[in-house]
Amino acid sequence: MRSIPDPVQNLIDAFSRLPGIGPKSASRLAFFLLKSPEALTLELAEALEALKSETSQCQQCFNITLAGEDICEICASSERSDETICVVEEPLDVLAIERTGVYQGKYHVLMGVLSPIEGIGPDQIKIFQLLERLKNGHTKELIIATNPSMEGDATALYLQQRVAPMGIKVTRLARGLPVGGDIEYADQNTLQRALAYRQTME
């Protein structure tokens, strides 16, 4: 005999499949919704339905856009430079860079990274679409903003090798010590990168 009714257990199982949500957090969320006003649960259900039915993927940069729109607001903006493209792994990375308020170019979302161990090659992410996009001759600089991981580094190296022959400048986001961090607490990899990407003081 089950101690939890099936509808509640099904919701707990669904929450557990989300990234960063363990069994305990999933249970807390489910029971919170169970005792919440019906209006809140209906609002959540409608938002989840709209997430799929009212969003789409930009056909140029592959960022998230509204359903029915071929390209996103950033790609369509005449105020954004076509000469610079920033390559990121996921749509969330676009949001992070946009929050800085300093980048005024366009983006390209790879929707993943190269990972031979997991069988993810160039065909499984949006690399060839990027290479095709670069053939228009407008792009002067490609900023590679993949994460500082083995997969991110491998993806960056692959892109650099494929793009360099096109005569396009290829750069990568600097890595090193965080602002406000103490050297004594920095790990070895962070210090190595800080030394490798040191800059001239002006």
Side-chain angles (χ1 to χ4, degrees), residues 90-185:
E90 303 289 348
L92 268 176
D93 300 327
V94 173
L95 293 177
I97 294 174
E98 283 296 287
R99 279 196 293 266
T100 68
V102 298
Y103 179 66
Q104 293 301 314
K106 302 289 180 73
Y107 292 93
H108 189 89
V109 183
L110 294 174
M111 301 304 294
V113 285
L114 297 177
S115 179
I117 294 177
E118 298 180 11
I120 301 175
D123 290 330
Q124 280 71 51
I125 57 178
K126 305 299 183 181
I127 283 183
F128 293 130
Q129 290 87 339
L130 171 63
L131 298 176
E132 189 65 29
R133 184 178 172 189
L134 295 175
K135 291 179 181 178
N136 63 24
H138 299 312
T139 307
K140 306 299 181 187
E141 179 182 3
L142 189 74
I143 302 172
I144 301 177
T146 52
N147 291 323
S149 61
M150 287 183 61
E151 294 81 6
D153 289 344
T155 304
L157 180 60
Y158 180 87
L159 286 173
Q160 192 273 334
Q161 292 172 341
R162 293 296 303 267
V163 174
M166 298 181 180
I168 297 171
K169 180 181 179 182
V170 180
T171 59
R172 190 153 188 214
L173 293 186
R175 294 176 285 179
L177 296 171
V179 174
D182 293 333
I183 291 177
E184 63 178 303
Y185 298 121

Coordinates of all heavy atoms in Angstrom, one line a residue, residues 90-185:
E90 N 24.7 27.7 -24.2 CA 23.2 27.6 -24.0 C 22.6 29.0 -23.9 O 23.2 30.0 -23.7 CB 22.9 26.9 -22.6 CG 23.6 25.5 -22.5 CD 22.9 24.5 -23.4 OE1 21.8 24.8 -23.9 OE2 23.5 23.4 -23.5
P91 N 21.2 29.1 -24.1 CA 20.5 30.4 -24.1 C 20.7 31.1 -22.7 O 20.8 32.3 -22.7 CB 19.1 30.0 -24.2 CG 19.1 28.7 -25.1 CD 20.3 28.0 -24.6
L92 N 20.9 30.4 -21.6 CA 21.2 31.0 -20.3 C 22.4 31.9 -20.4 O 22.5 32.9 -19.7 CB 21.2 30.0 -19.2 CG 20.0 29.6 -18.5 CD1 20.2 28.5 -17.5 CD2 19.4 30.9 -17.8
D93 N 23.4 31.5 -21.2 CA 24.7 32.2 -21.3 C 24.4 33.6 -21.9 O 25.1 34.5 -21.6 CB 25.7 31.4 -22.1 CG 26.0 30.1 -21.4 OD1 26.0 30.0 -20.2 OD2 26.3 29.1 -22.1
V94 N 23.5 33.6 -22.9 CA 23.1 34.9 -23.5 C 22.6 35.9 -22.5 O 23.0 37.0 -22.4 CB 22.1 34.7 -24.6 CG1 21.6 36.0 -25.2 CG2 22.7 33.8 -25.8
L95 N 21.7 35.4 -21.6 CA 21.2 36.2 -20.5 C 22.3 36.7 -19.6 O 22.3 37.9 -19.2 CB 20.2 35.4 -19.7 CG 18.9 35.0 -20.4 CD1 18.0 34.2 -19.5 CD2 18.1 36.2 -20.9
A96 N 23.2 35.9 -19.3 CA 24.3 36.3 -18.4 C 25.1 37.4 -19.0 O 25.5 38.4 -18.4 CB 25.2 35.1 -18.1
I97 N 25.5 37.3 -20.3 CA 26.3 38.3 -21.0 C 25.5 39.6 -21.2 O 26.0 40.7 -21.0 CB 26.8 37.8 -22.3 CG1 27.8 36.6 -22.0 CG2 27.5 38.9 -23.1 CD1 28.3 35.9 -23.3
E98 N 24.2 39.5 -21.5 CA 23.3 40.6 -21.7 C 23.2 41.4 -20.4 O 23.1 42.7 -20.5 CB 22.0 40.2 -22.2 CG 21.9 39.8 -23.7 CD 22.3 41.0 -24.6 OE1 21.4 41.9 -24.7 OE2 23.4 41.0 -25.1
R99 N 23.2 40.8 -19.3 CA 23.1 41.5 -18.0 C 24.3 42.4 -17.7 O 24.2 43.4 -17.0 CB 23.0 40.5 -16.8 CG 21.6 40.0 -16.6 CD 21.4 39.3 -15.3 NE 22.2 38.1 -15.2 CZ 21.8 36.9 -15.4 NH1 20.5 36.7 -15.8 NH2 22.6 35.8 -15.3
T100 N 25.4 42.2 -18.4 CA 26.6 43.1 -18.2 C 26.3 44.4 -18.9 O 26.9 45.5 -18.5 CB 27.9 42.5 -18.8 OG1 27.8 42.4 -20.2 CG2 28.1 41.1 -18.3
G101 N 25.5 44.5 -19.9 CA 25.2 45.7 -20.6 C 26.3 46.3 -21.5 O 26.2 47.4 -21.9
V102 N 27.4 45.5 -21.7 CA 28.5 46.0 -22.4 C 28.7 45.4 -23.8 O 29.4 46.0 -24.7 CB 29.9 45.8 -21.6 CG1 29.8 46.6 -20.3 CG2 30.1 44.4 -21.4
Y103 N 28.1 44.3 -24.1 CA 28.2 43.7 -25.4 C 27.1 44.1 -26.3 O 26.0 44.0 -26.0 CB 28.2 42.1 -25.2 CG 28.4 41.4 -26.5 CD1 29.6 41.5 -27.3 CD2 27.3 40.7 -27.1 CE1 29.7 40.8 -28.5 CE2 27.5 40.0 -28.3 CZ 28.7 40.1 -29.0 OH 28.8 39.4 -30.2
Q104 N 27.5 44.6 -27.5 CA 26.6 45.1 -28.5 C 26.6 44.3 -29.8 O 26.2 44.9 -30.8 CB 26.8 46.6 -28.7 CG 26.5 47.4 -27.5 CD 25.0 47.3 -27.0 OE1 24.1 47.3 -27.8 NE2 24.9 47.1 -25.7
G105 N 27.1 43.1 -29.8 CA 27.2 42.3 -31.0 C 26.0 41.3 -31.1 O 25.0 41.5 -30.4
K106 N 26.2 40.3 -31.9 CA 25.2 39.3 -32.1 C 25.7 38.0 -31.4 O 26.8 38.0 -30.9 CB 24.9 39.0 -33.6 CG 24.5 40.2 -34.4 CD 23.1 40.6 -34.1 CE 22.6 41.8 -34.9 NZ 22.3 41.5 -36.2
Y107 N 24.9 37.0 -31.3 CA 25.2 35.7 -30.7 C 25.0 34.5 -31.6 O 24.4 34.6 -32.6 CB 24.3 35.5 -29.4 CG 24.5 36.5 -28.3 CD1 23.7 37.7 -28.2 CD2 25.4 36.2 -27.3 CE1 23.9 38.5 -27.2 CE2 25.6 37.1 -26.3 CZ 24.9 38.3 -26.2 OH 25.0 39.2 -25.2
H108 N 25.6 33.4 -31.1 CA 25.3 32.1 -31.7 C 25.3 31.1 -30.6 O 26.3 30.9 -29.9 CB 26.3 31.7 -32.8 CG 25.9 30.5 -33.6 ND1 25.2 30.6 -34.7 CD2 26.1 29.2 -33.3 CE1 25.0 29.3 -35.2 NE2 25.5 28.5 -34.3
V109 N 24.2 30.4 -30.4 CA 24.0 29.4 -29.3 C 24.3 28.0 -29.9 O 23.5 27.6 -30.8 CB 22.6 29.5 -28.7 CG1 22.5 28.6 -27.5 CG2 22.3 31.0 -28.2
L110 N 25.3 27.4 -29.4 CA 25.6 26.0 -29.9 C 24.7 24.9 -29.4 O 24.6 23.9 -30.0 CB 27.0 25.7 -29.4 CG 28.2 26.5 -30.0 CD1 29.5 26.1 -29.3 CD2 28.3 26.3 -31.5
M111 N 23.9 25.2 -28.4 CA 23.0 24.2 -27.8 C 23.8 22.9 -27.3 O 23.4 21.8 -27.5 CB 21.9 23.8 -28.8 CG 21.1 24.9 -29.2 SD 20.3 25.9 -27.9 CE 19.1 24.6 -27.2
G112 N 25.0 23.2 -26.7 CA 25.8 22.1 -26.2 C 27.2 22.3 -26.5 O 27.6 23.4 -27.0
V113 N 28.0 21.3 -26.2 CA 29.5 21.3 -26.5 C 29.9 20.0 -27.0 O 29.2 19.0 -26.8 CB 30.3 21.7 -25.2 CG1 30.2 23.1 -24.8 CG2 29.9 20.8 -24.0
L114 N 31.1 20.0 -27.6 CA 31.6 18.7 -28.1 C 32.0 17.8 -26.9 O 32.6 18.3 -26.0 CB 32.9 19.0 -29.0 CG 32.7 19.8 -30.2 CD1 34.0 20.0 -30.9 CD2 31.7 19.1 -31.2
S115 N 31.6 16.6 -27.0 CA 31.9 15.6 -25.9 C 32.0 14.2 -26.5 O 31.0 13.5 -26.6 CB 30.9 15.7 -24.8 OG 31.1 14.7 -23.8
P116 N 33.2 13.8 -27.0 CA 33.3 12.5 -27.6 C 32.9 11.3 -26.7 O 32.3 10.3 -27.1 CB 34.8 12.4 -27.9 CG 35.3 13.8 -28.0 CD 34.4 14.6 -27.0
I117 N 33.1 11.5 -25.4 CA 32.7 10.5 -24.4 C 31.2 10.2 -24.4 O 30.7 9.1 -24.3 CB 33.1 10.8 -23.0 CG1 34.7 10.9 -22.9 CG2 32.6 9.9 -21.9 CD1 35.2 11.3 -21.6
E118 N 30.4 11.3 -24.6 CA 29.0 11.2 -24.7 C 28.4 11.1 -26.1 O 27.2 11.1 -26.3 CB 28.3 12.4 -24.0 CG 28.7 12.5 -22.5 CD 28.0 13.7 -21.9 OE1 27.1 14.3 -22.5 OE2 28.4 14.0 -20.7
G119 N 29.4 11.0 -27.1 CA 29.0 10.8 -28.5 C 28.4 12.1 -29.1 O 27.7 12.0 -30.1
I120 N 28.8 13.2 -28.5 CA 28.4 14.5 -29.1 C 29.4 15.1 -30.0 O 30.5 15.5 -29.5 CB 28.0 15.5 -28.0 CG1 26.9 14.9 -27.1 CG2 27.5 16.8 -28.6 CD1 26.6 15.8 -25.9
G121 N 29.2 15.1 -31.3 CA 30.1 15.7 -32.2 C 29.6 17.0 -32.8 O 28.5 17.4 -32.5
P122 N 30.3 17.5 -33.8 CA 29.8 18.7 -34.5 C 28.4 18.6 -35.1 O 27.7 19.6 -35.2 CB 30.9 19.0 -35.6 CG 32.1 18.2 -35.1 CD 31.6 17.0 -34.4
D123 N 28.0 17.4 -35.5 CA 26.7 17.3 -36.1 C 25.5 17.4 -35.0 O 24.4 17.7 -35.4 CB 26.5 15.9 -36.7 CG 27.4 15.8 -38.0 OD1 27.6 16.8 -38.6 OD2 27.9 14.7 -38.3
Q124 N 25.9 17.1 -33.8 CA 24.8 17.2 -32.7 C 24.6 18.5 -32.2 O 23.6 18.7 -31.5 CB 25.2 16.2 -31.6 CG 24.9 14.7 -31.9 CD 25.9 14.1 -32.9 OE1 27.1 14.3 -32.8 NE2 25.3 13.5 -33.9
I125 N 25.5 19.5 -32.4 CA 25.3 20.9 -31.9 C 25.3 21.8 -33.2 O 25.4 21.3 -34.3 CB 26.3 21.3 -30.9 CG1 27.7 21.1 -31.4 CG2 26.1 20.4 -29.6 CD1 28.8 21.5 -30.3
K126 N 25.2 23.1 -32.9 CA 25.0 24.1 -34.0 C 26.3 24.7 -34.5 O 26.4 25.9 -34.8 CB 24.1 25.2 -33.5 CG 22.7 24.7 -33.0 CD 21.9 23.9 -34.0 CE 20.6 23.5 -33.4 NZ 19.8 22.8 -34.4
I127 N 27.3 23.8 -34.7 CA 28.6 24.3 -35.2 C 28.5 24.6 -36.7 O 29.0 25.6 -37.2 CB 29.7 23.3 -34.9 CG1 30.1 23.4 -33.4 CG2 30.9 23.5 -35.8 CD1 31.2 22.5 -33.0
F128 N 28.0 23.6 -37.5 CA 28.0 23.8 -39.0 C 27.1 25.0 -39.4 O 27.4 25.6 -40.4 CB 27.6 22.5 -39.7 CG 28.6 21.4 -39.5 CD1 28.2 20.1 -39.1 CD2 29.9 21.6 -39.8 CE1 29.1 19.1 -39.0 CE2 30.9 20.6 -39.6 CZ 30.5 19.3 -39.2
Q129 N 26.1 25.2 -38.6 CA 25.2 26.4 -38.9 C 26.0 27.7 -38.6 O 25.8 28.6 -39.4 CB 24.0 26.3 -37.9 CG 23.0 25.2 -38.3 CD 23.3 23.9 -37.6 OE1 24.5 23.7 -37.2 NE2 22.3 23.0 -37.5
L130 N 26.9 27.7 -37.6 CA 27.7 28.8 -37.4 C 28.7 29.0 -38.5 O 28.8 30.2 -39.0 CB 28.5 28.7 -36.1 CG 29.6 29.7 -35.8 CD1 29.0 31.1 -35.6 CD2 30.4 29.3 -34.5
L131 N 29.3 28.0 -39.0 CA 30.3 28.1 -40.1 C 29.6 28.6 -41.3 O 30.2 29.4 -42.1 CB 31.0 26.7 -40.3 CG 31.8 26.2 -39.1 CD1 32.3 24.8 -39.5 CD2 33.0 27.1 -38.8
E132 N 28.4 28.1 -41.6 CA 27.7 28.6 -42.8 C 27.3 30.1 -42.6 O 27.4 30.9 -43.6 CB 26.4 27.8 -42.9 CG 25.7 28.0 -44.2 CD 26.4 27.6 -45.4 OE1 27.3 26.6 -45.3 OE2 26.2 28.2 -46.5
R133 N 27.0 30.5 -41.4 CA 26.6 31.9 -41.1 C 27.8 32.8 -41.3 O 27.7 33.9 -41.8 CB 26.1 31.9 -39.7 CG 25.6 33.3 -39.2 CD 25.1 33.2 -37.8 NE 24.8 34.5 -37.3 CZ 24.5 34.7 -36.0 NH1 24.5 33.7 -35.1 NH2 24.2 35.9 -35.6
L134 N 29.0 32.3 -41.0 CA 30.2 33.2 -41.2 C 30.6 33.4 -42.6 O 31.4 34.3 -42.9 CB 31.4 32.5 -40.4 CG 31.2 32.4 -38.9 CD1 32.4 31.6 -38.3 CD2 31.1 33.8 -38.3
K135 N 30.1 32.6 -43.5 CA 30.4 32.8 -44.9 C 29.9 34.1 -45.6 O 30.3 34.4 -46.7 CB 29.9 31.6 -45.7 CG 30.6 30.3 -45.4 CD 30.1 29.1 -46.2 CE 30.8 27.8 -45.9 NZ 30.2 26.7 -46.6
N136 N 29.0 34.8 -44.9 CA 28.4 36.0 -45.4 C 29.4 37.2 -45.5 O 29.2 38.2 -46.2 CB 27.2 36.5 -44.7 CG 27.4 36.8 -43.2 OD1 28.6 37.2 -42.9 ND2 26.4 36.7 -42.4
G137 N 30.6 37.0 -44.8 CA 31.6 38.0 -44.9 C 31.4 39.2 -44.0 O 32.3 40.1 -43.9
H138 N 30.4 39.3 -43.2 CA 30.1 40.4 -42.3 C 30.9 40.4 -41.0 O 31.3 41.4 -40.5 CB 28.6 40.6 -42.0 CG 27.8 40.8 -43.2 ND1 28.0 41.7 -44.2 CD2 26.6 40.2 -43.6 CE1 27.1 41.7 -45.1 NE2 26.2 40.7 -44.8
T139 N 31.2 39.2 -40.6 CA 31.8 39.0 -39.2 C 33.3 39.2 -39.3 O 34.0 38.7 -40.1 CB 31.5 37.5 -38.7 OG1 30.1 37.3 -38.8 CG2 32.0 37.4 -37.3
K140 N 33.7 40.1 -38.4 CA 35.2 40.4 -38.2 C 35.8 39.7 -37.0 O 37.0 39.5 -37.0 CB 35.4 42.0 -38.1 CG 34.7 42.8 -39.2 CD 35.3 42.5 -40.5 CE 34.6 43.3 -41.6 NZ 35.0 42.9 -43.0
E141 N 35.0 39.5 -36.0 CA 35.5 38.8 -34.8 C 34.5 37.8 -34.2 O 33.3 38.1 -34.2 CB 35.8 39.9 -33.7 CG 36.4 39.2 -32.4 CD 36.6 40.3 -31.3 OE1 36.3 41.4 -31.5 OE2 37.1 39.9 -30.2
L142 N 35.1 36.7 -33.9 CA 34.3 35.6 -33.2 C 34.8 35.5 -31.8 O 35.9 35.1 -31.6 CB 34.4 34.3 -34.0 CG 33.5 33.2 -33.6 CD1 32.1 33.5 -34.1 CD2 33.9 31.8 -34.1
I143 N 33.9 35.8 -30.8 CA 34.2 35.6 -29.4 C 33.7 34.3 -29.0 O 32.5 34.0 -29.0 CB 33.6 36.8 -28.6 CG1 34.0 38.1 -29.1 CG2 33.9 36.6 -27.1 CD1 33.3 39.3 -28.4
I144 N 34.6 33.4 -28.5 CA 34.2 32.1 -28.0 C 34.0 32.2 -26.5 O 35.0 32.5 -25.8 CB 35.3 31.0 -28.4 CG1 35.4 31.0 -29.9 CG2 34.8 29.7 -27.8 CD1 36.5 30.0 -30.4
A145 N 32.8 32.0 -26.1 CA 32.5 32.1 -24.7 C 31.9 30.8 -24.1 O 31.0 30.8 -23.3 CB 31.4 33.2 -24.5
T146 N 32.6 29.7 -24.5 CA 32.2 28.4 -23.9 C 32.8 28.4 -22.5 O 33.7 29.1 -22.1 CB 32.8 27.3 -24.7 OG1 34.2 27.5 -24.9 CG2 32.2 27.2 -26.1
N147 N 32.2 27.5 -21.7 CA 32.7 27.3 -20.3 C 34.1 26.8 -20.2 O 34.6 26.1 -21.0 CB 31.7 26.4 -19.5 CG 30.3 27.0 -19.4 OD1 30.2 28.2 -19.1 ND2 29.3 26.2 -19.5
P148 N 34.8 27.2 -19.1 CA 36.2 26.7 -18.9 C 36.2 25.3 -18.4 O 36.6 25.0 -17.2 CB 36.7 27.7 -17.8 CG 35.5 28.1 -17.1 CD 34.4 28.2 -18.1
S149 N 35.8 24.4 -19.2 CA 35.8 22.9 -18.9 C 36.5 22.2 -20.0 O 36.8 22.8 -21.0 CB 34.3 22.4 -18.8 OG 33.6 22.6 -20.0
M150 N 36.7 20.9 -19.8 CA 37.4 20.1 -20.9 C 36.6 20.2 -22.2 O 37.1 20.3 -23.2 CB 37.5 18.6 -20.4 CG 38.6 18.4 -19.3 SD 38.8 16.7 -18.9 CE 39.3 16.0 -20.5
E151 N 35.3 20.0 -22.0 CA 34.4 20.0 -23.2 C 34.4 21.4 -23.8 O 34.4 21.6 -25.1 CB 33.0 19.6 -22.9 CG 32.9 18.1 -22.4 CD 33.3 17.9 -21.0 OE1 33.5 18.9 -20.2 OE2 33.3 16.7 -20.6
G152 N 34.3 22.5 -23.0 CA 34.3 23.8 -23.5 C 35.6 24.2 -24.2 O 35.6 24.9 -25.2
D153 N 36.7 23.7 -23.6 CA 38.0 24.0 -24.2 C 38.1 23.3 -25.6 O 38.7 23.8 -26.5 CB 39.1 23.6 -23.3 CG 39.3 24.5 -22.1 OD1 38.7 25.6 -22.1 OD2 39.9 24.0 -21.1
A154 N 37.7 22.0 -25.6 CA 37.7 21.2 -26.9 C 36.9 21.9 -27.9 O 37.3 22.0 -29.1 CB 37.3 19.8 -26.6
T155 N 35.7 22.4 -27.6 CA 34.8 23.1 -28.5 C 35.5 24.3 -29.0 O 35.4 24.7 -30.2 CB 33.5 23.4 -27.9 OG1 32.9 22.2 -27.3 CG2 32.5 24.0 -28.9
A156 N 36.1 25.1 -28.1 CA 36.8 26.4 -28.5 C 37.9 26.1 -29.4 O 38.1 26.8 -30.4 CB 37.3 27.1 -27.2
L157 N 38.7 25.1 -29.2 CA 39.8 24.7 -30.1 C 39.3 24.3 -31.4 O 39.9 24.7 -32.5 CB 40.6 23.6 -29.4 CG 41.9 23.1 -30.2 CD1 42.9 24.3 -30.4 CD2 42.6 22.0 -29.5
Y158 N 38.3 23.5 -31.5 CA 37.7 23.1 -32.8 C 37.2 24.3 -33.6 O 37.5 24.4 -34.8 CB 36.6 22.1 -32.5 CG 35.9 21.6 -33.8 CD1 36.4 20.5 -34.4 CD2 34.8 22.2 -34.3 CE1 35.8 20.0 -35.6 CE2 34.2 21.8 -35.5 CZ 34.7 20.6 -36.1 OH 34.1 20.2 -37.3
L159 N 36.5 25.2 -32.9 CA 36.0 26.4 -33.6 C 37.2 27.2 -34.1 O 37.2 27.7 -35.2 CB 35.2 27.2 -32.7 CG 33.8 26.6 -32.4 CD1 33.1 27.4 -31.3 CD2 32.9 26.6 -33.7
Q160 N 38.2 27.4 -33.3 CA 39.4 28.2 -33.7 C 40.0 27.6 -34.9 O 40.4 28.4 -35.8 CB 40.4 28.3 -32.5 CG 41.5 29.3 -32.7 CD 42.7 28.8 -33.4 OE1 42.9 27.6 -33.4 NE2 43.4 29.7 -34.1
Q161 N 40.2 26.3 -35.0 CA 40.8 25.7 -36.1 C 40.0 25.8 -37.4 O 40.5 25.9 -38.5 CB 41.0 24.2 -35.8 CG 42.1 24.0 -34.7 CD 42.2 22.5 -34.3 OE1 41.3 21.7 -34.5 NE2 43.3 22.2 -33.7
R162 N 38.6 25.8 -37.2 CA 37.8 25.9 -38.4 C 37.6 27.3 -38.9 O 37.4 27.5 -40.1 CB 36.4 25.2 -38.1 CG 36.4 23.8 -37.8 CD 36.8 23.0 -39.1 NE 36.0 23.3 -40.2 CZ 34.9 22.5 -40.5 NH1 34.5 21.5 -39.8 NH2 34.2 22.8 -41.6
V163 N 37.6 28.3 -38.0 CA 37.3 29.6 -38.3 C 38.5 30.4 -38.7 O 38.4 31.3 -39.6 CB 36.6 30.3 -37.1 CG1 36.4 31.8 -37.4 CG2 35.3 29.7 -36.8
A164 N 39.7 30.1 -38.2 CA 40.9 30.9 -38.5 C 41.2 31.0 -40.0 O 41.6 32.1 -40.4 CB 42.1 30.3 -37.7
P165 N 41.1 29.9 -40.8 CA 41.4 30.0 -42.2 C 40.4 31.0 -42.9 O 40.7 31.4 -44.1 CB 41.2 28.6 -42.7 CG 41.4 27.7 -41.5 CD 40.8 28.5 -40.4
M166 N 39.3 31.4 -42.3 CA 38.4 32.3 -43.0 C 38.9 33.8 -42.8 O 38.2 34.7 -43.4 CB 37.0 32.2 -42.3 CG 36.3 30.9 -42.5 SD 34.7 30.9 -41.7 CE 34.1 29.2 -42.0
G167 N 39.9 34.0 -42.1 CA 40.4 35.4 -41.9 C 39.7 36.2 -40.9 O 39.8 37.4 -40.8
I168 N 38.9 35.5 -40.0 CA 38.1 36.1 -39.0 C 38.9 36.0 -37.7 O 39.5 35.0 -37.3 CB 36.8 35.4 -38.8 CG1 35.9 35.6 -40.1 CG2 36.0 36.0 -37.6 CD1 34.7 34.7 -40.1
K169 N 39.0 37.1 -37.0 CA 39.7 37.2 -35.7 C 38.9 36.3 -34.7 O 37.7 36.5 -34.5 CB 39.8 38.6 -35.2 CG 40.5 38.8 -33.8 CD 40.5 40.2 -33.4 CE 41.2 40.4 -32.1 NZ 41.1 41.9 -31.6
V170 N 39.6 35.4 -34.0 CA 39.0 34.5 -33.0 C 39.6 34.9 -31.6 O 40.8 34.8 -31.4 CB 39.3 33.1 -33.3 CG1 38.6 32.2 -32.3 CG2 38.8 32.7 -34.7
T171 N 38.7 35.2 -30.7 CA 39.1 35.5 -29.3 C 38.3 34.7 -28.4 O 37.3 34.0 -28.7 CB 38.8 37.0 -29.0 OG1 37.5 37.3 -29.1 CG2 39.7 37.9 -29.9
R172 N 38.8 34.6 -27.1 CA 38.1 33.9 -26.1 C 38.0 34.7 -24.8 O 38.9 35.5 -24.5 CB 38.8 32.6 -25.8 CG 38.0 31.6 -24.9 CD 38.3 30.2 -25.1 NE 37.3 29.4 -24.3 CZ 37.6 28.2 -23.8 NH1 38.8 27.7 -23.8 NH2 36.6 27.6 -23.1
L173 N 36.9 34.5 -24.1 CA 36.8 35.3 -22.8 C 38.0 35.0 -21.9 O 38.4 33.9 -21.8 CB 35.5 34.9 -22.1 CG 34.2 35.2 -22.7 CD1 33.0 34.9 -21.8 CD2 34.1 36.7 -23.1
A174 N 38.5 36.1 -21.3 CA 39.6 35.9 -20.3 C 39.2 35.2 -19.1 O 38.0 35.2 -18.7 CB 40.1 37.3 -19.9
R175 N 40.1 34.4 -18.5 CA 39.8 33.7 -17.3 C 40.9 33.9 -16.3 O 42.1 34.2 -16.6 CB 39.8 32.2 -17.6 CG 38.6 31.8 -18.6 CD 38.7 30.3 -18.9 NE 39.7 30.0 -19.9 CZ 40.0 28.8 -20.4 NH1 39.3 27.8 -19.9 NH2 40.9 28.7 -21.3
G176 N 40.5 33.9 -15.0 CA 41.5 34.1 -14.0 C 40.9 34.4 -12.6 O 39.8 33.8 -12.3
L177 N 41.5 35.2 -11.8 CA 41.0 35.5 -10.5 C 39.8 36.3 -10.5 O 39.7 37.3 -11.2 CB 42.1 36.2 -9.7 CG 43.4 35.4 -9.4 CD1 44.5 36.3 -8.9 CD2 43.2 34.2 -8.5
P178 N 38.8 35.9 -9.7 CA 37.6 36.7 -9.6 C 37.8 38.0 -8.8 O 38.7 38.1 -8.0 CB 36.6 35.8 -8.8 CG 37.5 35.0 -7.9 CD 38.8 34.8 -8.8
V179 N 37.0 39.0 -9.1 CA 37.1 40.3 -8.4 C 36.8 40.1 -6.9 O 35.8 39.4 -6.6 CB 36.2 41.3 -9.0 CG1 36.2 42.6 -8.2 CG2 36.6 41.6 -10.4
G180 N 37.7 40.6 -6.0 CA 37.5 40.4 -4.6 C 38.0 39.1 -4.0 O 37.9 38.9 -2.8
G181 N 38.6 38.2 -4.9 CA 39.1 37.0 -4.4 C 40.5 37.1 -3.9 O 41.3 38.0 -4.4
D182 N 40.9 36.2 -3.0 CA 42.3 36.2 -2.5 C 43.1 35.1 -3.1 O 42.6 34.0 -3.3 CB 42.2 35.9 -0.9 CG 41.6 37.1 -0.1 OD1 41.7 38.2 -0.6 OD2 41.1 36.8 0.9
I183 N 44.3 35.5 -3.5 CA 45.2 34.5 -4.2 C 45.4 33.2 -3.4 O 45.4 32.1 -4.0 CB 46.5 35.2 -4.5 CG1 46.3 36.3 -5.6 CG2 47.6 34.1 -5.0 CD1 47.6 37.0 -5.9
E184 N 45.5 33.4 -2.1 CA 45.8 32.2 -1.3 C 44.7 31.2 -1.3 O 44.9 30.0 -1.0 CB 46.0 32.6 0.2 CG 44.8 33.3 0.9 CD 45.1 33.6 2.3 OE1 45.5 32.7 3.1 OE2 45.0 34.8 2.7
Y185 N 43.4 31.6 -1.6 CA 42.3 30.7 -1.7 C 42.0 30.2 -3.1 O 41.1 29.3 -3.3 CB 41.1 31.3 -1.1 CG 41.2 31.7 0.4 CD1 41.1 33.1 0.7 CD2 41.5 30.8 1.3 CE1 41.2 33.4 2.1 CE2 41.7 31.2 2.7 CZ 41.5 32.5 3.0 OH 41.7 32.9 4.3

